[in-house]
Amino acid sequence: MRKSICMFYVATEVIMNIIKNNNKSLKGIIILIIVLVVVFSLYRNSGLFYRNGIILPFSLHLNKQEVYLVKGEEFRLIVYRINKRVSFHSTNFRVAGVNFNGRVFAYQTGKTFIVAKVGNKELKCRVKVIDLNKEQLNLHVGESYRLGIKGPAFFAKYKSSNPSVASVNIFGKVKAKSTGITTITVNVKGKILRCSVTVR
């Protein structure tokens, strides 16, 4: 706020100099630019910015518009509001359900919308539930197996904790190399899935 006040005084000084020089051609443009800069600076310091976007005062919004969940995981959906009653429901309760408090429960792989209703307005959050097709894998040296993501996931990063025992490529194909135990980690939009691999 102190910076904004300083900018206001600087802007005032510039305007006064323009008026003294009687430069009418630039006067209007410079005044407009200075006013916009000062207003924007005040707005930036007013606490109205929310994360990467601008949230207008008194507007209804969710803490998430899309979320990935692992099967069995829970997530709290929050509606930022002003003393209004909110009701929640799922468009596909077989995939994910929600209680009266906005807590979402991932039941099985798939996708659904959680709808928060505030008065006559509806806010939606897309929920995608994912899982791994194998949590444990037993292989013999030389064998291979392709791990896959169940649910709406198109991009995944695979990594082996011990590539000398079993390696994994970018498509999820696991190849057993030597006896031992390793863990294949799969990252989908920040959600971590794991498969324990035992090679005999």
Side-chain angles (χ1 to χ4, degrees), residues 103-135:
R103 186 165 294 279
V104 181
F105 305 90
Y107 295 137
Q108 67 179 27
T109 57
K111 56 185 176 180
T112 184
F113 282 98
I114 301 299
V115 181
K117 189 172 183 180
V118 185
N120 58 358
K121 186 172 183 179
E122 290 187 345
L123 306 173
K124 293 183 179 181
C125 173
R126 185 193 298 271
V127 177
K128 297 181 178 181
V129 182
I130 58 173
D131 199 7
L132 204 56
N133 61 343
K134 283 283 187 179
E135 293 183 356

Side-chain angles (χ1 to χ4, degrees), residues 87-103:
S87 61
F88 297 92
H89 72 271
S90 172
T91 58
N92 188 347
F93 64 88
R94 292 183 178 85
V95 172
V98 60
N99 67 8
F100 70 95
N101 202 29
R103 186 165 294 279

Side-chain angles (χ1 to χ4, degrees), residues 24-44:
K24 295 181 180 180
S25 61
L26 295 176
K27 187 185 298 183
I29 297 174
I30 293 177
I31 290 174
L32 179 62
I33 292 173
I34 291 173
V35 169
L36 290 174
V37 169
V38 172
V39 170
F40 181 74
S41 179
L42 290 170
Y43 187 62
R44 283 293 300 267

